[in-house]
Amino acid sequence: MASDAQQRPTATTAQTPRKLVLAGNPNVGKSALFNALTGLNADVSNYPGTTIDIARGKLGDDLLSDTPGVYGVSSFNDEERIAKRMILEAEAVINVVSALSLDRDLFLTLQLIDMQKPLIVVLNQWDEAEQRGVRIDTVELSKILGVPVMTAVAVEKKGLSEIKESVDKAAIGNQSQVLQVLIGDLVKKNVPAQTALLSMEGDAECAQSFEIAVESKRAEIYKMRRQRVNEITEKVVVQEARRKRISARIGRLLLHPVYGSIVSLTVCYLIFYQLLGVIVAGSVVDITEKQCMRVYYEPTVRRACASVFPCKITVSGQAFEFPGGMNAAPALVAKLERAARGVNPAQIKFDFWNWRNLASVVGNLLCGEYGVLTLTVTYLLGLLMPLVIAFYFGLSLMEDSGYLPRLAVLVDRLLNKIGLTGRAIIPLILGLGCVTMATVTTRLLSTNREKIIATALLGIAIPCSAQLGIVSGTLAKAGGLLPWILYCSLVGLILAVTGLVLNKLMPGKSGALMIDLPPMRFPRPDNVLKKTWSKSFNFMLESIPMFCLAGLVVSVGQMTGMLDWFVRSLQPMTVGLLQLPNDERIATTFILGIVRRDFAAFGLTDVALSQTQAVVAMIVITLFVPCIATVGVMIKERGFAIAMSIWAGSWLFAFLVGGALARVLPSLFQAVSF
């Protein structure tokens, strides 16, 4: 054991707070503990040079950071690289370990000790361990490891005072004598022990930083460390003989290829059809969008806007000023038509670009048909927000119950067929909330090949939450289950074919799935609500600028005549190729979709569509181009060439598939009706 002077982190002055980090495996309650320790002083920001969020806060006079959840300190993916850098820079580590899975989590603990990092060990989820009959001798564990060991229940804020008091007692711990000998020659050459160890474990970044040329002994070191973990758990852990808990039985049932598949289909049906499609898109949105926003909010805003920004129009060359603004102009048009003895409405022109009538321009941008204060706010608050909240509520339930990782295991073999592992189900499901954010989460995939395939599938065949809500509502209006069955089957088929083609064309193969299976538990209402609110708020915050931009772009296009030109250009495709109604709102949706993908579905909500037209329109909208924000993230993550290929390819693919379906589906609907 190292001496006491070696074990304690150096005291620092108030002017130089220590850098402390929380480190641990995924699903050990690390973030919950961080929030409990830092309270309202936490700050979330990107780690320098990345878009991965890192939470930072104050723990007394010290700075505490929450590292990404990792199984070991290495460089296999972005999360591990960031966690490694933060751990190497830290002056002390709070190692969070799940009391339910000591045999798994101690691997990281021993690695931190072998790296000679001062640390304390916190056994979290202590209450669940006791309920499951797991008994851990913390005194013996502390003696074996040579570091302070304490227990906690982070979600109930139990054990926090002991953790705060023990930070000053952080110790280096009892290192493996075999590893000390193994890295001895490198240490004699003034290579830091932690760098020497990681280099021996095959970490190329550490080896290059000190120009170390050593043979990797990762397999040997990992095997030895695993044996130490097994020996320790045998000494300190006692599992009481109890009947198998119902949660364990449910967990195994969810992994069964038949029963698990039935459950997954049921969950998807309940969340994405019943909750999103029927309850929210059908009932809730009728209240929030059609009543609250259309009946009360928009008229009030337009009246207020019109009193400040009056509109001028001309009829047969004669100018009229109308204080009701552009959106009240239809009422004026009827009066002026009678006064002008049947003047054709096409002769009525809005005098936007007369600079003496600048108020009309500003008024239209703010309160026009696509105004920032009218349609944009109505769509964001009345339509989009209920759908986003519902989606993230469903996702939070799956996360907090422990179902989401089991779903990843269940679909692993299936996703292997299209070049992905089961872990890819996480960004694919997140894509049902926001494709932009889901594209960022593709970083958790282990190979660049998998990241490119997942990004392409997100950009082409995954509808986001608001889009999915519009799809649900539109197909529900079409009537019957057949439109829904066809839509889901076609999207699934397109996703599968796209993945299969990419899997064949791209070199390499998928990696193996390594994912933690937390115990199944009843979701905690406070956790679910916090996650739902946090994710929904961040999504809405990210969406506001793009939706405002969409409204401004379309309003300017309307005033300059570009919108009419684009509508006329697209109508041969929407009417002739896709065989949709000859309604300018349909072509307008494609303009909106370029700026914001889920905005594209909005214009179709009020258009009367047959069953065939509803399915064709929703398939085209789903396959249509990713929005500007997603393209920007794709360029950053995958490069300009790949992002532009996905963007351009989705245009062509959407219209080709839509045109083919428009000619095939009518006969199918005639043959099958239910």
Side-chain angles (χ1 to χ4, degrees), residues 317-340:
Q318 186 177 0
F320 296 85
E321 181 173 313
F322 184 61
M326 178 180 173
N327 287 278
L332 177 64
V333 168
K335 295 179 181 178
L336 292 177
E337 281 183 338
R338 290 192 294 270

Side-chain angles (χ1 to χ4, degrees), residues 269 271-284 469 472-473 476 484:
Y269 170 79
I271 293 177
F272 300 123
Y273 179 77
Q274 286 294 334
L275 178 62
L276 272 173
V278 177
I279 298 175
V280 178
S283 303
V284 176
S472 301
W484 249 110

Side-chain angles (χ1 to χ4, degrees), residues 302 305-314 319-336 350 357 359-360:
R302 281 177 175 146
C305 188
S307 64
V308 180
F309 304 106
C311 178
K312 288 183 179 180
I313 67 174
T314 60
F320 296 85
E321 181 173 313
F322 184 61
M326 178 180 173
N327 287 278
L332 177 64
V333 168
K335 295 179 181 178
L336 292 177
F350 292 90
N357 193 28
S360 295

Side-chain angles (χ1 to χ4, degrees), residues 542-577:
E542 181 266 339
S543 299
I544 289 173
M546 299 309 301
F547 281 110
C548 291
L549 177 61
L552 289 172
V553 167
V554 177
S555 294
V556 171
Q558 183 186 47
M559 291 187 291
T560 59
M562 290 296 294
L563 181 61
D564 291 336
W565 175 85
F566 198 87
V567 168
R568 289 193 300 271
S569 300
L570 279 181
Q571 276 183 331
M573 294 170 54
T574 58
V575 177
L577 178 63

Side-chain angles (χ1 to χ4, degrees), residues 282-299:
S283 303
V284 176
V285 169
D286 277 346
I287 298 173
T288 57
E289 189 247 331
K290 295 183 179 179
Q291 294 295 320
C292 296
M293 304 305 290
R294 297 285 189 182
V295 176
Y296 300 106
Y297 171 77
E298 284 195 16

Side-chain angles (χ1 to χ4, degrees), residues 625-645:
V625 294
C627 62
I628 289 176
T630 302
V631 173
V633 171
M634 286 182 178
I635 292 173
K636 184 175 181 181
E637 296 290 323
R638 308 281 91 86
F640 182 82
I642 292 176
M644 288 299 99
S645 298

